[in-house]
Amino acid sequence: MGQIVGIDLGTTNSVVGVIEAGRPIVIANSEGTRTTPSIVGFTKDSEIVIGDQARRQLVLNPKNTFYNLKRFIGREWDELDEISISVPYNVKSNESGSVRILSPNTGREYASEELISSLIRKLINDAETYLGDTIDSAVITVPAYFNESQRQATKDSALLAGIKVDRILNEPTAAALAYGFEKSSSNNVLVFDLGGGTFDVSLLKISNGVFDVKATCGDTQLGGNNFDSKIVDWLAERFLAEHKIDLRRDRQALQRLTEAAEKAKCELSGLQKTKISLPFITTNDDGPLHIEEDINRKLFESLCQDLLDRLLEPVQIALDDSGWEPDEIDEVVLVGGSTRIPMVQQLVKTLVPNEPCQSVNPDEVVAIGAAIQSGIISGDLRDLLLNDVTPLSLGLETIGGLMKVLIPRNTPIPVRQSDVFSTSESNQSSVVVQVRQGERPLAAENKSLGKFRLSGIPPAPRGIPQVQVAFDIDANGLLEVSATDKTTGRKQTVSISGGSNLNEQEINSIISEAKSKANEDRKKRSVIDRKNNALTLIAQAERRLRDASLEFGPYGAERQQRAVELAIQDVEEFIDDDDPQELELSVSALQEALFGLNRRFAAEKKNDNNPFQGIKNTFGSLKDELFSDDYWDEDPWDNEMNSNYRNSSYRNSRDDDPWDNDYFL
Ligand code: ADP
Ligand code: MG
């Protein structure tokens, strides 16, 4: 059997780690560097180049050199924002709305999964050379907020490269795994990961080898690239003002500007000022033009203020979600090359009072964590457990359009939750399970992940059939939903993969929207609740009336029955009105009338010499049995009336409180 490795498949750089002699190490690539640029290109001769080689042709061959591919993985064209598609190569949508990348040199278009699989193949080839052994599976890391289709697409890329994925691991979790390795004390840890293209914040509780992710948040469209762009814009604007030429319109010039900007940015992490020189950047009528600029740290920082602001909110949300105060954080782990920017480090210090821990190399920590996870899987390392959490609440739509949450946000995974639902109409033969993800109480406001129908439910009154709906999330965050009719055992299952396409910004906006609309939603929800409750009460009252006419005959409890009938009419009249008070009044009148009728039943039960025998006479001594608890287990009859009775008895035993928490589909 071949070996297993851990891969940090970064937006900008990828790193491979492995367990050697019981310790995680990073494997250098064939060029001798420990990180490989996540870049794939095609030369003039249509030959594929990957990593450093591809990076080298960025300037001369921008249309055939593909970077930032991770922004496209598992995403539809419609989901991409301006920043993601403003790359010097051609990205387009195919007929089915998927993202395709064009290479003029090969004359072909590629899915991002295909190009990323070439990158994975190179990483694996190089690692196999180093290890002198074959590798057949891997642990691959992804940003915490990757949705199901992005995770699935990452797996697919590895499969295309001939590698089985043993585990998809969240990057910040991997970082914490690396950090917590060999540490036994109990710690609350904040992982702050700012890479080239993504930003993740995670709060973890680590104790005695157990990693528990309490909350995660971030921004998939924020990273070191954005800092580069600030310098690019600054350079381009100055050039435009002086020469009336916008260099950003010239692909090659833009690529050179970007490279120079990144270099300057990295230098400014260690130096106070640096020089940017780009000779022969373009030409005008007077001849060649050059860029020669000084930039200092202060200027760079002033250009990037808004990016700093964007880093704040996800940290705040994650803290809120975890319920921790900043001073409850024991350790802060900085991950990703961009955490070397001094002002980013400063910002982290203003958020959490402790000094960030820098004993872990920010470029390698994720790959080290992935290697550790691979060691746990292969059995080379033991005694470590790992829990991730769900980023958003998962639930389903119930009658009236309400969201019933089965798995709340930030629940540790893997997890399985189920609940019992029933029909909202009598003789309803199927139920629709509409799976949704989000924080709003009204289902329609949350993202639909898919729906399916469970049919073949035997005819029965509203609320009788019992449908068990279960949500199962595996360790990779992939969701499976099943619905089982408890009477027939009929079952329907769907795997929700590729159904969800929420990115992290969407997740954040969903959470903040839910917060801001909380009041409005509460009102809408209470209208629906009131209506549902009124319907439940009517159904219950109607059953009680049927019981009463059997029990007492048409006139036996005429006054009480009439009162209930009238009260039902009132409730029905107000049910669709907008006046909550009228509905509430009519509902309490119906409750009161029902109470009167129920008292009549109680009196009847006590009174042996009841003169109003009614239909009871027909059934003789069965009456008492009808209301005894164990009656229905005996199942003495086998006809229609029996099943109605059975149902009403069953409902009565559950329906003492009409405002109970039944969920109807
Ligand atoms: P990813 O996880 O997205 O692959 P990395 O963690 O490798 O990214 O970080 C890459 C980013 O870090 C790039 O934007 C790079 O410019 C930036 N970076 C690397 N070194 C430094 C540095 N010394 N100062 C500032 N930024 C840096
Ligand atoms: Mg990274």
Side-chain angles (χ1 to χ4, degrees):
M1 208 186 80
Q3 296 230 26
I4 167 172
V5 291
I7 301 177
D8 167 12
L9 200 58
T11 314
T12 326
N13 297 303
S14 295
V15 186
V16 181
V18 72
I19 299 293
E20 216 176 47
R23 293 195 59 83
I25 59 148
V26 162
I27 300 176
N29 59 24
S30 56
E31 293 80 36
T33 46
R34 292 157 74 87
T35 62
T36 304
S38 305
I39 307 176
V40 178
F42 294 98
T43 64
K44 271 207 289 296
D45 308 325
S46 296
E47 212 179 296
I48 191 164
V49 282
I50 300 160
D52 286 314
Q53 248 186 314
R55 192 184 164 108
R56 248 175 273 135
Q57 70 159 36
L58 265 176
V59 175
L60 289 177
N61 198 355
K63 287 195 166 189
N64 291 285
T65 311
F66 313 118
Y67 62 93
N68 271 0
L69 290 166
K70 197 169 165 181
R71 288 198 194 266
F72 304 126
I73 196 161
R75 309 195 65 191
E76 297 295 314
W77 176 258
D78 288 347
E79 298 171 305
L80 299 176
D81 63 5
E82 278 297 309
I83 300 169
S84 301
I85 50 180
S86 58
V87 283
Y89 52 89
N90 282 319
V91 188
K92 62 158 207 173
S93 163
N94 71 0
E95 307 87 61
S96 57
S98 303
V99 179
R100 288 292 178 268
I101 293 149
L102 307 178
S103 166
N105 278 0
T106 62
R108 257 198 64 191
E109 52 181 64
Y110 301 85
S112 54
E113 287 82 352
E114 211 176 335
L115 296 170
I116 289 174
S117 86
S118 308
L119 169 66
I120 296 176
R121 197 58 245 172
K122 176 201 163 41
L123 297 172
I124 295 288
N125 285 345
D126 288 359
E128 284 178 336
T129 306
Y130 171 88
L131 294 168
D133 195 358
T134 56
I135 295 167
D136 48 26
S137 63
V139 169
I140 299 188
T141 58
V142 296
Y145 274 85
F146 254 28
N147 63 34
E148 268 112 38
S149 50
Q150 290 168 300
R151 283 163 199 264
Q152 196 59 53
T154 305
K155 267 186 153 177
D156 293 346
S157 302
L159 277 179
L160 284 175
I163 290 295
K164 177 172 158 280
V165 177
D166 284 322
R167 179 85 179 251
I168 293 284
L169 187 64
N170 287 339
E171 285 161 12
T173 304
L177 194 54
Y179 172 77
F181 187 51
E182 291 168 347
K183 294 216 166 41
S184 59
S185 56
S186 169
N187 277 325
N188 291 346
V189 179
L190 184 146
V191 180
F192 187 101
D193 180 350
L194 188 61
T198 53
F199 172 46
D200 277 277
V201 189
S202 294
L203 293 167
L204 307 107
K205 189 164 194 69
I206 305 176
S207 65
N208 302 321
V210 179
F211 294 68
D212 207 359
V213 182
K214 289 289 179 200
T216 66
C217 200
D219 190 333
T220 50
Q221 305 291 334
L222 180 59
N225 298 337
N226 303 77
F227 289 80
D228 304 342
S229 303
K230 293 290 180 186
I231 301 181
V232 169
D233 284 340
W234 176 75
L235 290 170
E237 290 294 338
R238 285 172 72 90
F239 198 85
L240 181 65
E242 195 178 333
H243 302 289
K244 308 279 174 288
I245 298 173
D246 190 346
L247 293 172
R248 286 163 294 194
R249 290 167 179 276
D250 169 353
R251 282 174 204 274
Q252 275 199 22
L254 176 62
Q255 193 50 51
R256 284 184 67 195
L257 280 180
T258 308
E259 281 200 355
E262 186 185 4
K263 186 162 163 278
K265 173 193 73 175
C266 292
E267 285 169 357
L268 287 174
S269 292
L271 303 170
Q272 283 298 334
K273 62 171 198 269
T274 186
K275 226 182 222 345
I276 297 172
S277 72
L278 289 161
F280 302 99
I281 189 76
T282 191
T283 51
N284 66 5
D285 295 344
D286 303 333
L289 296 170
H290 319 289
I291 287 182
E292 204 54 54
E293 295 279 3
D294 283 326
I295 182 168
N296 61 30
R297 196 185 280 177
K298 203 163 158 218
L299 172 62
F300 169 62
E301 291 179 351
S302 70
L303 296 174
C304 301
Q305 276 312 317
D306 63 317
L307 298 178
L308 276 204
D309 293 344
R310 284 175 63 190
L311 291 170
L312 283 174
E313 199 174 314
V315 178
Q316 207 48 59
I317 292 176
L319 277 171
D320 282 354
D321 283 352
S322 71
W324 289 345
E325 294 300 325
D327 60 7
E328 289 177 83
I329 308 277
D330 302 308
E331 302 283 357
V332 178
V333 182
L334 297 181
V335 180
S338 305
T339 59
R340 293 215 182 93
I341 299 172
M343 106 180 121
V344 172
Q345 293 182 2
Q346 288 299 335
L347 175 90
V348 177
K349 281 184 215 165
T350 65
L351 293 170
V352 181
N354 343 19
E355 199 58 31
C357 162
Q358 281 162 322
S359 63
V360 201
N361 182 346
D363 296 326
E364 299 180 351
V365 60
V366 171
I368 293 284
I372 291 172
Q373 180 65 41
S374 76
I376 297 169
I377 291 170
S378 67
D380 289 344
L381 297 174
R382 288 175 208 282
D383 302 332
L384 283 164
L385 291 171
L386 192 59
N387 294 315
D388 273 344
V389 296
T390 54
L392 283 175
S393 301
L394 289 159
L396 67 168
E397 184 166 339
T398 59
I399 182 81
L402 290 181
M403 171 88 170
K404 162 68 182 152
V405 171
L406 279 189
I407 301 181
R409 182 152 65 102
N410 286 328
T411 302
I413 59 172
V415 62
R416 184 187 159 86
Q417 285 290 352
S418 71
D419 208 336
V420 175
F421 295 80
S422 195
T423 49
S424 54
E425 311 264 335
S426 290
N427 300 325
Q428 189 177 323
S429 63
S430 68
V431 292
V432 172
V433 176
Q434 165 87 57
V435 184
R436 292 196 181 261
Q437 184 174 36
E439 307 310 314
R440 305 282 295 273
L442 301 181
E445 312 278 357
N446 292 323
K447 164 114 180 168
S448 168
L449 293 185
K451 75 175 173 188
F452 63 97
R453 182 182 288 275
L454 177 71
S455 49
I457 297 174
R462 168 187 206 265
I464 302 308
Q466 289 193 285
V467 179
Q468 176 121 28
V469 178
F471 280 34
D472 234 317
I473 305 182
D474 71 10
N476 297 321
L478 301 173
L479 170 69
E480 188 176 276
V481 179
S482 67
T484 314
D485 178 0
K486 289 174 91 177
T487 322
T488 61
R490 242 185 142 91
K491 187 173 175 181
Q492 275 287 341
T493 301
V494 288
S495 291
I496 312 267
S497 63
S500 146
N501 278 309
L502 289 170
N503 66 34
E504 181 172 343
Q505 262 172 357
E506 286 175 283
I507 286 173
N508 292 343
S509 74
I510 286 167
I511 294 170
S512 55
E513 203 179 327
K515 275 187 189 153
S516 72
K517 299 240 166 110
N519 248 337
E520 197 182 307
D521 282 349
R522 207 173 300 126
K523 273 188 212 141
K524 280 194 209 159
R525 194 200 153 106
S526 73
V527 170
I528 297 169
D529 271 343
R530 248 194 309 269
K531 187 172 161 181
N532 285 344
N533 288 333
L535 285 169
T536 308
L537 188 65
I538 290 177
Q540 189 205 354
E542 283 169 346
R543 278 192 300 270
R544 215 63 182 129
L545 281 178
R546 276 197 302 274
D547 295 348
S549 59
L550 283 170
E551 177 71 12
F552 310 115
Y555 308 110
E558 194 185 359
R559 192 165 50 80
Q560 290 90 342
Q561 282 168 276
R562 187 80 192 120
V564 171
E565 277 162 14
L566 286 174
I568 289 178
Q569 276 171 21
D570 274 354
V571 176
E572 279 173 341
E573 190 179 321
F574 294 120
I575 209 155
D576 286 319
D577 277 10
D578 285 337
D579 190 339
Q581 258 173 335
E582 291 281 18
L583 181 61
E584 217 147 273
L585 283 176
S586 66
V587 161
S588 47
L590 176 55
Q591 279 176 307
E592 217 162 280
L594 257 183
F595 182 68
L597 184 60
N598 282 337
R599 272 230 308 259
R600 186 71 186 72
F601 274 101
E604 170 74 1
K605 217 177 167 193
K606 269 193 210 143
N607 184 6
D608 277 343
N609 302 319
N610 182 4
F612 304 103
Q613 289 285 301
I615 208 161
K616 186 185 73 175
N617 287 338
T618 324
F619 294 126
S621 63
L622 273 177
K623 185 208 84 179
D624 286 340
E625 288 178 86
L626 283 177
F627 295 96
S628 78
D629 283 348
D630 55 5
Y631 171 74
W632 294 114
D633 292 338
E634 292 164 19
D635 206 359
W637 300 342
D638 192 20
N639 60 27
E640 177 72 18
M641 184 167 304
N642 175 36
S643 75
N644 279 337
Y645 257 117
R646 173 198 284 277
N647 295 335
S648 53
S649 167
Y650 174 63
R651 290 301 301 178
N652 288 340
S653 69
R654 292 170 21 130
D655 261 5
D656 289 344
D657 176 7
W659 308 97
D660 66 4
N661 285 323
D662 277 344
Y663 301 112
F664 299 106
L665 291 171

